[in-house]
Amino acid sequence: MDSIRANTQTDNRYAIIDVETTGGDPKKNGRLTEVAIYLLEKGEIVDEFTSLINPETHIPSYIAKLTGIDDAMVENAPKFYEVAKRIVEITQDAVFVGHNVGYDYSFIQHEFKNLGYSYRRMTFDTVKMSRKLLPGHKSYSLGNLCEDLNIKIENRHRAAGDARATVELFKLLLNHISQEDIPSNAEIAHLFGSNIARMLFETLPEETGVYFLHDADANVIYIGKSSNIAKRVLTHFANHKDKKSMEMCLRAADISYEITGSELLALLLEDIEIKRHQPKYNRVQRRKSSEFGIYAAYNENGYLALTIEKKSKNGILVSQFPSVQRAKKKLYELIEKFTLCQKICGLYNTSGACFHYQIGSCKGACRGDEDPDFYNERVQQAIEYLNDISRNFFVVEQGRNPDETAFIKVEKGKLVGYGFASTQFLSGGIHELHELTTPLLDSGNSIKIVNAYLAKSKTAKTIHF
């Protein structure tokens, strides 16, 4: 929700902000390298602040190529704590405006969090409002949109240049905004209990990601995902379907979120975080899974065994099934189709050869007669036939802004990490995806989520390696 709250648009104070960073995620590896702020009152710039920031960490080479800001440039620049007071003052009582505002806001907010300060402002996203008020453009990235609108950008991918262009775009949008685009205080205030401040809701982004409801002791009591975090959180407080949901809203004292851009990444993070936190009000997700899986693991004789288990400490999950009967049916199918051994697959308990060997359908792996390499080659074919997860691959799709790609990394059938990369630097290969991968713990359900998503998605792409 674009969070302007005033009687008229021009009566508000607007802080148009752009930042440059060392990476895509402030919670993982991203720090500020530059910030630019232009303060508007009555449509005119009345104050401004621009500064390089010493991120106190290395600036990756691909970031330096994009922004022109390298380690040498920021060596003697002020650290964030040295400019924090100025940022608080220039944005005080102002709406925080940005092009894909969630990105800039999250970095500023996280830098203040590192200082032990809670920084909250109402936000306005020029990307979202441009799509609504200026339809028909092929791209809504700042560069392409400004080119279409004849807005000049000087020093692209530098904070001051991008922020100054956003000022002009924002002025144009102000001429089109109607009162319907500006929800009143009353429309939001009545939705919340006394524990939730209205300002807190006003800062929630209209972005895809995962959100967390916390109680007064900072415990996570609910986790959800949505393609529009602000709208989804609103429904919790507006629609009390039962006693439990009302109780949850009354207990909620804080809201945090992580923007992913990617719907798949949001699904994965939601699943992983629910299993990690076990929130009280995620009743369905907290139940232990009753599903059975086909796992792949090498036995003591070097044969790659496909076996049915609820959970395996050493095996790689190949596929999951709602019941052991369904899992057995599929495994028997694989045994028949790829001439696998019943005994090695755990479906024929004997000290000697399996039944299929006796009738000539097994090549003798159960007796050690068949070379493990030949047997394992057929097992790999069976795995690929089952759900094509044996290979290593990235899944890539739209990131948190038009110039960014989000990705998840699957290796040997398991989710190993995720990350964000500049779309501009992916055309030459995927080596940067490996370098930018942030480790992520597989929930045990992750591959099932990936496979289900790929089966229905029209935009996600896979890159095998």
Side-chain angles (χ1 to χ4, degrees):
M1 183 177 297
D2 298 291
S3 307
I4 299 178
R5 304 283 184 268
N7 293 327
T8 65
Q9 296 90 331
T10 55
D11 287 341
N12 279 330
R13 286 161 51 93
Y14 302 102
I16 289 79
I17 300 175
D18 189 84
V19 302
E20 302 301 334
T21 70
T22 64
D25 191 341
K27 294 182 180 180
K28 297 295 190 299
N29 58 356
R31 297 294 303 274
L32 291 181
T33 59
E34 189 175 38
V35 61
I37 306 172
Y38 292 95
L39 183 65
L40 264 66
E41 290 184 1
K42 299 185 183 301
E44 299 297 329
I45 296 176
V46 297
D47 197 1
E48 62 184 80
F49 172 71
T50 301
S51 177
L52 288 168
I53 307 290
N54 185 337
E56 302 180 74
T57 188
H58 171 63
I59 300 175
S61 58
Y62 80 97
I63 293 289
K65 291 177 184 177
L66 178 66
T67 65
I69 302 173
D70 57 24
D71 291 335
M73 286 181 63
V74 299
E75 183 177 359
N76 297 316
K79 297 174 182 177
F80 183 79
Y81 74 87
E82 297 178 88
V83 301
K85 182 180 179 182
R86 175 69 169 126
I87 293 174
V88 170
E89 291 173 344
I90 195 173
T91 63
Q92 190 69 44
D93 299 321
V95 178
F96 190 111
V97 180
H99 201 71
N100 187 42
V101 71
Y103 181 84
D104 304 278
Y105 184 73
S106 64
F107 271 93
I108 293 286
Q109 194 175 44
H110 201 74
E111 291 283 0
F112 276 109
K113 185 178 181 180
N114 290 338
L115 300 179
Y117 179 82
S118 180
Y119 180 87
R120 298 194 183 280
R121 296 290 185 268
M122 294 184 289
T123 61
F124 182 97
D125 190 354
T126 55
V127 173
K128 294 293 184 182
M129 196 53 70
S130 294
R131 287 196 177 108
K132 179 177 180 180
L133 300 178
L134 306 173
H137 293 276
K138 184 177 180 180
S139 169
Y140 286 86
S141 69
L142 184 63
N144 290 331
L145 188 58
C146 286
E147 183 178 356
D148 289 351
L149 299 173
N150 293 319
I151 296 174
K152 186 177 180 181
I153 303 182
E154 296 181 356
N155 295 322
R156 180 76 171 108
H157 295 301
R158 289 296 299 270
D162 287 355
R164 193 64 182 82
T166 305
V167 168
E168 299 307 314
L169 173 61
F170 180 64
K171 286 181 179 181
L172 180 63
L173 292 173
L174 282 179
N175 294 329
H176 294 80
I177 292 175
S178 64
Q179 201 60 39
E180 286 109 17
D181 296 315
I182 311 174
S184 67
N185 288 334
E187 288 178 302
I188 294 176
H190 78 281
L191 299 174
F192 301 94
S194 58
N195 286 345
I196 292 285
R198 188 186 71 231
M199 180 70 79
L200 181 58
F201 175 77
E202 292 169 347
T203 62
L204 294 176
E206 283 190 312
E207 307 290 340
T208 298
V210 179
Y211 60 91
F212 306 78
L213 300 186
H214 307 261
D215 63 16
D217 296 320
N219 299 311
V220 176
I221 60 174
Y222 184 83
I223 299 172
K225 71 93 188 168
S226 177
S227 58
N228 186 323
I229 292 174
K231 185 176 180 179
R232 182 69 185 94
V233 172
L234 174 63
T235 63
H236 286 299
F237 292 87
N239 302 308
H240 298 307
K241 297 180 179 180
D242 52 42
K243 183 179 178 180
K244 281 287 186 180
S245 64
M246 181 176 292
E247 179 185 293
M248 180 185 76
C249 292
L250 290 174
R251 287 191 60 186
D254 196 9
I255 308 168
S256 62
Y257 58 86
E258 183 164 352
I259 298 173
T260 64
S262 159
E263 183 182 351
L264 173 58
L265 183 52
L267 285 165
L268 291 168
L269 289 180
E270 178 193 36
D271 182 62
I272 290 167
E273 293 297 332
I274 286 174
K275 285 180 172 59
R276 184 164 74 93
H277 290 282
Q278 295 285 291
K280 178 177 180 178
Y281 295 100
N282 288 96
R283 289 173 293 179
V284 175
Q285 293 93 327
R286 288 180 74 241
R287 296 171 185 164
K288 292 185 178 180
S289 173
S290 61
E291 292 185 327
F292 289 81
I294 294 179
Y295 288 83
Y298 290 95
N299 67 17
E300 65 276 10
N301 296 317
Y303 293 101
L304 185 56
L306 296 181
T307 56
I308 298 171
E309 301 177 59
K310 263 200 169 183
K311 189 175 182 180
S312 173
K313 293 183 179 180
N314 302 315
I316 294 174
L317 178 64
V318 176
S319 189
Q320 282 185 303
F321 302 88
S323 67
V324 67
Q325 291 80 10
R326 293 277 295 275
K328 283 184 176 181
K329 182 179 179 181
K330 178 56 69 173
L331 187 51
Y332 274 122
E333 179 187 335
L334 297 178
I335 289 171
E336 294 286 346
K337 186 175 182 66
F338 295 95
T339 322
L340 304 183
C341 177
Q342 292 173 302
K343 180 180 177 180
I344 290 178
C345 291
L347 296 179
Y348 194 85
N349 187 16
T350 178
S351 58
C354 70
F355 175 72
H356 275 193
Y357 176 78
Q358 299 173 34
I359 63 174
S361 297
C362 171
K363 298 185 178 182
C366 47
R367 290 163 44 91
D369 293 345
E370 183 178 13
D371 188 307
D373 289 341
F374 292 129
Y375 181 85
N376 294 343
E377 184 178 349
R378 296 199 305 279
V379 175
Q380 292 288 358
Q381 292 171 357
I383 293 173
E384 293 181 14
Y385 167 80
L386 185 59
N387 53 18
D388 195 28
I389 68 166
S390 63
R391 288 178 287 177
N392 305 327
F393 60 92
F394 290 102
V395 180
V396 298
E397 56 183 346
Q398 177 65 52
R400 297 162 298 185
N401 61 68
D403 298 320
E404 183 181 73
T405 294
F407 65 88
I408 65 105
K409 181 179 180 179
V410 174
E411 194 167 6
K412 295 182 179 178
K414 279 193 174 184
L415 175 70
V416 296
Y418 76 103
F420 302 93
S422 170
T423 303
Q424 180 176 341
F425 288 98
L426 288 182
S427 58
I430 63 170
H431 65 280
E432 287 181 4
L433 295 184
H434 292 286
E435 295 176 0
L436 294 171
T437 298
T438 298
L440 190 63
L441 183 65
D442 194 310
S443 72
N445 198 40
S446 299
I447 290 302
K448 182 179 178 181
I449 292 173
V450 171
N451 288 336
Y453 185 80
L454 290 176
K456 69 175 184 178
S457 176
K458 297 181 180 179
T459 58
K461 299 179 180 178
T462 56
I463 303 174
H464 293 270
F465 61 92

